[in-house]
Amino acid sequence: MRRLNLLYLLPALAILSCSKDSITPDTEEQLIETKELSANVEVAYPQDFGLLSDVYFAGKKITVEEIDGDYVYEGDILLPSNMITSQDVKLVYEIGEEPQEKSVGRTSGRWPNNTVYYSIDNNLSDKNRATDAIKHWESNTSLKFVQRTSQSNYIYFTTGSGCSSYVGMIGGKQNITLAPGCSTGNTIHEIGHAVGLWHEQSRVDRDKHIKINYSNIQSGREHNFKTYADSGSDGDEFTSNLDFGSIMLYSSYSFSSNGQPTIVKLDGSTFNAQRNALSAGDKTGINAMYGGSTGGTTEPTAPEYINGEYYVIYGLTVLRHNDEWWYYSRTYSMWREVELKSNNRWYYAR
Ligand SMILES: [Zn+2]
């Protein structure tokens, strides 16, 4: 699961919440939104379809939607513009090679010392969503959340068109957007992204557990259903099965064009996306990423990297394998071992 590990919202929510007794969708779009609402999944720009473009991010080629200057991936994931390039750029150097002075943005991804700094926009409505979600994270994981004073790297909870977040610590101020309809559960999900989780249905081995019904997906949104393997990060996944209880999983009806399920179990049955709490699997994954056990009072320990998992570290998507780092080089069309040097640049190991 939780590869490095890195959804959506509806203005309709606000309307629906204040007129529960008069929901009579009269257009196809409203029907879709109503379904999306029942699914409780997150969308950054529920009302907009962005321009689709193929870009490079962390050494992978992926399809993103460009909306309002944001690069949106899989519905609610924002990718930092300084880590996006239109052309493949060099992220791994040969031994002895001088790195380019200028490079695409780099991030170590995880929050040092298990400590996440944050600040809440004064104008954000229902701030309890953020503080309650933080309490949930603190009582279930070894992560600590501290109100920012002068730290330069921090999460900023602010209002937006939908629910959205970046994945992992990207460096500097990074927004989690919460439209009025985003729930505490949606906020727990968005914090999941911000501490480094991607979506559960994007696991490389997800086809062993779920089936994607492409014919039911909204036109132009098919790219949201790619696996990391589709994005060029092929490899083994050694961890446990896809977790149908994960708060990071889409629902069966996400991005449906016709009210029919887009994701089903292998036996054809549908499932709900829960947005109440971190699942046992979510907690296990996070504590493996960050060290420590559940319970918030544990002393933070150094993160352990899990063989078979993908991580984005200093701008590169790397696979942990045999306690070494491996990178799939498109230049060489093969996996090569890589090492992170003290200048925080990646080099081929041999
Ligand atoms: Zn999400």
Side-chain angles (χ1 to χ4, degrees):
M1 69 209 170
R2 358 241 128 209
R3 40 296 155 183
L4 46 127
N5 295 348
L6 272 255
L7 294 190
Y8 328 74
L9 234 239
L10 334 161
L13 287 175
I15 299 162
L16 291 169
S17 62
C18 53
S19 60
K20 284 187 183 129
D21 49 353
S22 60
I23 303 170
T24 48
D26 53 11
T27 68
E28 190 183 355
E29 194 168 347
Q30 278 179 295
L31 274 168
I32 292 166
E33 288 185 355
T34 305
K35 198 54 119 170
E36 206 64 78
L37 172 64
S38 67
N40 286 327
V41 298
E42 300 80 7
V43 185
Y45 291 96
Q47 295 287 324
D48 300 309
F49 272 85
L51 183 69
L52 293 181
S53 47
D54 287 333
V55 297
Y56 292 89
F57 169 74
K60 293 194 304 180
K61 188 178 186 184
I62 57 172
T63 305
V64 294
E65 280 182 65
E66 275 185 77
I67 309 176
D68 256 12
D70 281 330
Y71 294 96
V72 183
Y73 184 61
E74 290 188 359
D76 70 331
I77 293 174
L78 305 178
L79 298 177
S81 58
N82 65 352
M83 289 182 68
I84 298 264
T85 54
S86 55
Q87 301 293 319
D88 202 2
V89 296
K90 182 171 265 193
L91 296 168
V92 185
Y93 299 94
E94 299 290 351
I95 294 167
E97 189 178 0
E98 280 294 314
Q100 300 156 343
E101 219 28 67
K102 192 173 175 328
S103 175
V104 290
R106 293 167 297 130
T107 172
S108 58
R110 298 200 214 172
W111 295 82
N113 303 316
N114 289 19
T115 305
V116 180
Y117 292 96
Y118 72 94
S119 160
I120 301 177
D121 184 344
N122 278 333
N123 295 321
L124 180 68
S125 62
D126 195 2
K127 297 182 181 61
N128 289 345
R129 295 176 294 170
T131 51
D132 289 349
I134 284 171
K135 276 182 208 150
H136 182 78
W137 270 95
E138 289 197 314
S139 56
N140 287 285
T141 70
S142 60
L143 288 167
K144 293 177 173 44
F145 291 76
V146 177
Q147 283 220 33
R148 175 211 183 219
T149 49
S150 60
Q151 292 79 15
S152 53
N153 302 327
Y154 66 102
I155 293 171
Y156 186 62
F157 292 92
T158 187
T159 194
S161 301
C163 324
S164 68
S165 176
Y166 294 90
V167 173
M169 189 189 83
I170 63 168
K173 175 186 180 181
Q174 61 184 89
N175 287 351
I176 284 183
T177 69
L178 300 174
C182 300
S183 66
T184 299
N186 295 133
T187 310
I188 296 171
H189 174 106
E190 296 304 341
I191 292 175
H193 285 314
V195 299
L197 298 181
W198 298 82
H199 288 137
E200 187 68 7
Q201 75 277 0
S202 301
R203 293 171 58 104
V204 170
D205 64 353
R206 62 102 185 272
D207 292 340
K208 291 181 193 162
H209 309 280
I210 54 177
K211 181 173 177 287
I212 309 296
N213 291 330
Y214 283 94
S215 58
N216 295 334
I217 298 172
Q218 295 164 25
S219 174
R221 289 258 157 94
E222 296 85 353
H223 64 93
N224 291 326
F225 293 85
K226 288 187 174 176
T227 64
Y228 297 116
D230 296 333
S231 306
S233 293
D234 202 356
D236 295 326
E237 196 132 29
F238 297 3
T239 45
S240 57
N241 294 335
L242 183 145
D243 177 6
F244 282 100
S246 173
I247 203 165
M248 303 310 291
L249 180 67
Y250 276 46
S251 83
S252 278
Y253 296 95
S254 296
F255 302 109
S256 175
S257 62
N258 54 9
Q260 298 298 309
T262 53
I263 313 174
V264 292
K265 295 187 180 180
L266 291 186
D267 65 7
S269 62
T270 59
F271 54 90
N272 293 318
Q274 69 86 11
R275 288 297 182 267
N276 301 315
L278 293 167
S279 69
D282 292 332
K283 294 176 203 172
T284 302
I286 279 289
N287 286 321
M289 282 173 73
Y290 282 94
S293 57
T294 57
T297 55
T298 315
E299 268 311 294
T301 54
E304 286 173 28
Y305 294 106
I306 304 169
N307 284 321
E309 296 285 340
Y310 292 97
Y311 300 88
V312 172
I313 298 177
Y314 283 99
L316 192 71
T317 303
V318 285
L319 175 68
R320 192 72 172 167
H321 177 69
N322 287 344
D323 296 326
E324 298 161 339
W325 292 116
W326 290 78
Y327 168 67
Y328 187 80
S329 164
R330 278 186 308 277
T331 309
Y332 298 101
S333 298
M334 62 186 287
W335 286 92
R336 290 188 64 181
E337 189 186 345
V338 292
E339 292 174 346
L340 186 64
K341 300 288 192 189
S342 57
N343 61 356
N344 292 332
R345 305 278 178 151
W346 286 100
Y347 288 81
Y348 290 112
R350 57 177 74 89

